[in-house]
Every structure is written in structure tokens, then in C-alpha cells.
Amino acid sequence: MKLAWEKLQSFDRRWLFLAMGLAIALPLMFEFTMPFTTSPRVRALYDEIETLPPGTQVLLAIDYDPASKPELEPFARAVLRQLLLRRCRVVLMTLWDKAPPIVMALIEDIIEGEHDRHRGLFEGRDDPPLRYGVDYVFFGFKEGKEIVIAGLGQSFRQIYPADYRERPVGQLPIMNGINRLSDFPLIVEVSAGFPGTKEWVQQVVTRYGLRYAAATTSVSVTELSPYYPRQMFSLVGGMRGAAEYEKLVGQVGLATRGLNVLTVGHVVIVLAITMGNVIYFKTRKRKRGAR
Amino acid sequence: MPFIDVLGAWIAIFITFCILSYLYDDNPFYKLAEHLFVGTSVGYSLVLQWFGTVKPNLVDRLTASELGAARFVYLVPCALVLCLFMKLTNRYNWMGRLAIAFVIGIYAGQNIPAYANSDLLTQIYVTTREVFTSGDKPLSDIIGIVVLVVGVVASLMYFFLSREHKGWFGRMSKVGIWVLMIGFGASFGYTVQGRISLAIGVAMDVLDISRPAAEARQVHGPVVSAISIAIIAVGLIWMRRRGTRTPPERDTHPPSN
């Protein structure tokens, strides 16, 4: 027994990596579902969008790169679907240089693939295909981080004189009546870090009292929680928050499927932490006894 | 799905396992993937910065004859950029400080008031308003407010170092430590959740779960994954055997006494 504890203390951590790999891969192969509830933090955004009248211009800032896709993309897809179901007009932009291909894929999959072809949640609806520049627009990437955010608060058109396709902003009907951020009835940001939610809140949300909601990676949730609910009325955190949003929108997606696996992964981590502590205290007790 | 995209998906799966092979040990497969990642990232960013920032904001404006003499004002940022590159020289590296001072000044002027407004004044206002607002509040809200106020005060007392942490002050600062530890615990929990989520995303990609069914039928992710793991495993075994057969390098350093 004495030797066993000693051996466990020098346990090769690669076995733990293997256990975690299996804990993720196996539940994905054998699909199962676990119940979960939606939190007020997430429901606030869903309820807000449900009250928006058709034609409302909503700014959707996609500030993440491929590294954070698993956590944030399911939410981005779910919220875009809901906005289109409510017939809102969507203005897309990004402050991350690696995000434009992600936004183009969103447009291709959700707007052109699902909405315009009446697939998925849009099945059975008689909505005409959405027109670029009228129903949706993408303004592309802009370098400058928080300076750009502050500039958008003063003049959107000065920061973005043209869209991603080099069309002047004056020729885009979707931008009628929009001169600065405060002209948007709702701003939704999907953020993986810097520049992201913190900079939006600091530079423009607090200053201009904007109606602002954010979806962030799990790592950022504790840091951003003090802003909820006064400076941002909704905070969707990580894959769990995205799964809640998918549930509200009514389409089981990758986040819902991933959430079940997440639970198994957490069990492995908790077991590893417990085991590590037990080994530590057992060996410490014996060392003290030996003295 | 065109074949070039299928090939791209195969390469992505192989490179994913190359990166994951680092969990076993540092090896040439990992190095290959790491160098590819750094190279493509730098290349992508350079092209994007040139066509998205430098060209439209500097080159196009300097060459726009319709702006007249006003366009020459853009020589100022151009000079600051050149000053930054002077950091690479020994003789003129002091010029880089001019550009850095400009950047720091802009950022400080932009961020300090914004930070003070949103993270200090507004947070104090919101916290005190929660405490002093009258009206019917559920018990859970009242408990929350008490925890909030005690937690904030105790945490601040922990960082107050001008007085010895003894007596009631010491007890309060201990409460502060507990509050901080609970905060760190919550952060750790969320971090674990985030990292596992990323691993799930990778697993979904390599197992074709995140792809539409039509694409998955072309890519055959699980098969490609198995082949990738086999290639890397065989490669690692081969390299290890080769490594053991290679005689150790002769130590050219003189023995130290």
C-alpha cells in the first residue's frame, strides 16, 4: 500500500490526457442527451429580440477567430437565425483580422443556405430571399481596436465609409438613419477577448448608454460578470450559454451536443482533482508519521 | 464539395493530430505543425494589414491627387512608422521612442477616462444604488447585497497594507482572502469549461460531427483521423528507435571541477 501511494505520486500525466480524450470522443460517438435549464442572463437577450419589430437594424459584432469557434460559433448561428426569424436587418462587423472568413461562412450557411432556401427553422416560411445591402450587410475588418470602437460611437460612417465589397455606405439602404452606434436599437457582440466586450463596455456602452448584449468565452465570464445587468443586459457564457440559446431558439445544435460531453469532461476533471488531493494528503500524512 | 476542399479538410485533421502529439512528447510532427501555423498566421496578417490598413489609409491617400496639398499631412504618420523601424538600428533607435510616446499618449488619453468611468465610477454607483434603493426585495436579493458589500469591503481590507492585519482587521482581511479564493475558484471552473469546450470542438471537427452530412460523406473524418494517428505513431516509434541507435553527441566542453 505504501508503495502504491508513492507510485501514484509520480503518476504519468499522459494517462490523464488519454482519459480526457476518451471522455470527449466516446460520448460524441454515442449520442445522449441530458436536461438543462436556461438562465435569466441568457434569456434576457432572447426576450429582447422577440420584442423587436420587423425591420429593426441590429448590429452583430463578430469578434473571434477560429481558435474560439467551438465556444462562440453555435451562439452566433443561433442568434443570427433568431434575428432573421424576427425579420430584423443585420449589420455585421468585426475587429478581429481572422474573423472575415468566419462571417462569410455565417452568411453563406445561415442567410443564403438556410433562410433563402427555406431550410431548418425557416422551413415552411414564405420569406423572400434577403438582399445584400438592404436586409443585411458586412462591413469587414477594421484595424484600430478600442480607438475604432470609440470612433464608431461618434460616427459609424466615418470609421466605415464603405462595406466589405467597397460599396459606399450612402448606397446601402440598410444604413438609413444610422450614423452612430446609439442609432442601433440593439448591439450584440460575440467576443473571444481583446478587443472585445470589455473595450465595448468601457469605450461606448457606458458612455452612450447603449442597449448591449455579449456572448463571450467561458474564461472571460467572471471578469465580465460585474457589468451584468447594468452595463450589459445579457451575458451568454461559453458553450453552456450557447446551448441555452440554442434551446430557446428551438434548434439543437453543436453546443447542445457538446454540453453533454462537457459534463463527462467535468466529471473526469473533478475525479482527477479529488484523486490528486487524496494522494497528496495520504503521502503527507505518512511523511509526518515517519518524522 | 470540390476536391481541393476535401484535401484541405484532410490536411487540417492531420495537422490537428500533429499538434495533439505534443501531449505525448515534443516531436518533429508537432514542430512541423507549429511552424506552419506561425508562418501562415504571419503571412495572412501581413497581407491583411497591408491591404486593409496601410494601403487604404496611407498609400492611397498620399497618392490621391484630388486631396491636393492636404494629402501631405499623411506624411506625419508615415514618418512615425519609419521612426518605429529605427528601433532596429543602434545609432538611431532613440527615434523609435517618438512613435512609441505618441502611441502611449493616444492610448492613455483614450483609455484612462473610459476605464475610470465604466470600471470605477459606474461600478461604485451601481453597488451603492443596490444597497440604498428602497422597495420590496426578495430575500435572495438582500442576501446577495450583503454578500456583495461584505465581500468588496473585506477584499479591499486584505489589500490595505498600511495597518497590521490583527484583531478585527485581521479577521476581516481573512474573510477577504476567502472571497478572493472563491473568485479564483470560479475563474478556474470557467477556464476548465472553456478548455474542454475547445477540445470538444476539435473532436467534432475530426469526427465530422460539425460538418454537413454531404461534406462528411466526402471527408471521412474518422478514417482520416485513424490514418493520421497511425502515421504519427509509426513516425514517433521509428524516430525513437533511430534516436536510441544514434551514438550520443561527444561532449566538447572541458569537464568542470
Side-chain angles (χ1 to χ4, degrees):
Chain A
M1 195 64 189
K2 183 181 167 184
L3 270 175
W5 290 118
E6 288 288 343
K7 271 188 181 173
L8 280 171
Q9 213 177 21
S10 55
F11 175 74
D12 191 340
R13 59 184 180 159
R14 287 179 289 193
W15 289 109
L16 197 60
F17 298 150
L18 183 67
M20 182 53 81
L22 292 174
I24 288 169
L26 293 179
L28 275 176
M29 289 173 184
F30 308 103
E31 207 176 334
F32 67 100
T33 50
M34 290 173 84
F36 63 95
T37 55
T38 55
S39 58
R41 282 184 180 197
V42 177
R43 223 168 25 242
L45 176 60
Y46 177 82
D47 293 342
E48 175 87 6
I49 293 176
E50 286 300 299
T51 60
L52 292 176
T56 306
Q57 293 128 310
V58 176
L59 179 66
L60 183 57
I62 303 290
D63 293 334
Y64 63 90
D65 60 4
S68 307
K69 263 177 87 173
E71 277 197 278
L72 298 172
E73 179 122 321
F75 169 80
R77 287 176 177 256
V79 79
L80 185 56
R81 284 187 188 112
Q82 191 197 2
L83 288 168
L84 298 181
L85 285 167
R86 291 293 310 164
R87 295 191 173 90
C88 292
R89 292 187 286 170
V90 186
V91 177
L92 293 144
M93 59 159 281
T94 181
L95 299 176
W96 282 48
D97 60 358
K98 292 179 185 70
I102 292 174
V103 180
M104 297 311 287
L106 279 177
I107 291 172
E108 201 177 306
D109 293 350
I110 309 291
I111 295 177
E112 294 167 4
E114 291 183 22
H115 179 277
D116 293 355
R117 293 179 190 172
H118 305 291
R119 288 178 184 161
L121 287 176
F122 304 94
E123 205 174 318
R125 288 168 66 101
D126 56 354
D127 296 344
L130 298 177
R131 291 158 298 169
Y132 183 85
V134 179
D135 301 307
Y136 71 97
V137 70
F138 176 39
F139 276 99
F141 160 71
K142 183 65 77 175
E143 180 61 71
K145 301 178 174 64
E146 56 263 72
I147 306 292
V148 168
I149 300 172
L152 290 170
Q154 290 165 3
S155 171
F156 194 98
R157 288 161 184 256
Q158 207 173 351
I159 298 294
Y160 278 115
D163 71 347
Y164 192 59
R165 299 178 184 177
E166 300 289 326
R167 268 177 70 176
V169 72
Q171 294 176 16
L172 300 167
I174 191 173
M175 294 304 288
N176 288 346
I178 302 286
N179 292 310
R180 55 188 69 83
L181 287 178
S182 55
D183 294 328
F184 285 103
L186 175 65
I187 297 169
V188 182
E189 201 225 352
V190 193
S191 159
F194 177 80
T197 306
K198 204 171 179 61
E199 288 68 39
W200 274 84
V201 172
Q202 287 176 350
Q203 297 295 338
V204 287
V205 174
T206 311
R207 191 180 296 176
Y208 301 111
L210 305 177
R211 197 78 182 136
Y212 174 81
T216 68
T217 50
S218 304
V219 179
S220 315
V221 171
T222 39
E223 189 190 1
L224 299 171
S225 287
Y227 295 136
Y228 171 83
R230 301 294 172 196
Q231 287 155 285
M232 66 170 85
F233 70 92
S234 176
L235 176 59
V236 182
M239 190 176 263
R240 160 83 204 206
E244 289 178 30
Y245 213 85
E246 283 180 346
K247 187 179 181 181
L248 289 166
V249 174
Q251 191 172 46
V252 173
L254 293 177
T256 311
R257 215 168 152 187
L259 193 64
N260 303 321
V261 186
L262 198 62
T263 311
V264 180
H266 274 131
V267 170
V268 172
I269 291 283
V270 169
L271 285 175
I273 291 172
T274 311
M275 199 177 84
N277 277 283
V278 168
I279 293 166
Y280 171 72
F281 282 111
K282 281 279 181 188
T283 48
R284 194 178 71 159
K285 202 174 160 187
R286 228 193 41 255
K287 275 177 191 167
R288 277 185 181 171
R291 273 184 218 156
Chain B
M1 193 179 181
F3 178 72
I4 192 75
D5 288 348
V6 176
L7 187 67
W10 291 348
I11 293 170
I13 292 171
F14 178 71
I15 287 175
T16 301
F17 283 104
C18 286
I19 291 283
L20 288 174
S21 70
Y22 186 75
L23 293 174
Y24 177 74
D25 206 353
D26 198 0
N27 63 77
F29 289 106
Y30 170 74
K31 289 281 180 219
L32 169 78
E34 188 188 32
H35 293 161
L36 271 175
F37 177 73
V38 172
T40 48
S41 296
V42 170
Y44 178 83
S45 298
L46 270 177
V47 170
L48 205 72
Q49 292 292 344
W50 173 259
F51 287 104
T53 307
V54 180
K55 190 174 175 292
N57 292 341
L58 187 65
V59 179
D60 289 353
R61 288 177 188 180
L62 276 173
T63 53
S65 52
E66 66 270 18
L67 290 176
R71 64 186 155 151
F72 294 115
V73 77
Y74 294 106
L75 286 173
V76 177
C78 183
L80 287 170
V81 170
L82 292 176
C83 282
L84 267 181
F85 280 102
M86 288 296 129
K87 291 290 276 181
L88 298 171
T89 66
N90 285 331
R91 195 170 175 186
Y92 301 106
N93 65 0
W94 58 269
M95 291 174 79
R97 287 184 219 135
L98 296 172
I100 290 171
F102 187 81
V103 171
I104 290 173
I106 290 277
Y107 267 77
Q110 185 71 43
N111 285 329
I112 291 171
Y115 192 90
N117 183 26
S118 76
D119 286 35
L120 191 66
L121 298 176
T122 308
Q123 288 293 315
I124 292 170
Y125 169 70
V126 168
T127 309
T128 47
R129 199 175 69 167
E130 285 288 335
V131 176
F132 296 111
T133 307
S134 58
D136 291 334
K137 280 182 178 154
L139 184 65
S140 59
D141 279 14
I142 295 169
I143 293 170
I145 290 166
V146 171
V147 170
L148 177 73
V149 172
V150 172
V152 168
V153 173
S155 302
L156 288 173
M157 285 169 90
Y158 174 70
F159 287 106
F160 190 78
L161 305 171
S162 301
R163 184 180 162 155
E164 203 175 352
H165 289 199
K166 274 183 176 175
W168 69 273
F169 196 86
R171 282 192 290 276
M172 278 300 281
S173 74
K174 277 223 167 94
V175 174
I177 297 174
W178 275 97
V179 171
L180 290 172
M181 288 299 160
I182 291 166
F184 294 147
S187 290
F188 176 73
Y190 272 116
T191 305
V192 168
Q193 184 186 317
R195 299 297 176 252
I196 298 176
S197 301
L198 298 182
I200 292 168
V202 169
M204 283 176 166
D205 282 345
V206 299
L207 294 173
D208 278 347
I209 293 166
S210 57
R211 284 181 228 285
E215 285 182 18
R217 277 194 292 276
Q218 286 178 281
V219 173
H220 298 291
V223 178
V224 179
S225 299
I227 294 169
S228 301
I229 292 170
I231 291 170
I232 293 167
V234 169
L236 288 177
I237 292 167
W238 180 72
M239 275 181 266
R240 175 164 279 205
R241 285 189 175 173
R242 193 166 155 258
T244 51
R245 279 174 196 163
T246 314
E249 277 183 37
R250 202 170 53 183
D251 191 3
T252 52
H253 296 283
S256 58
N257 294 318

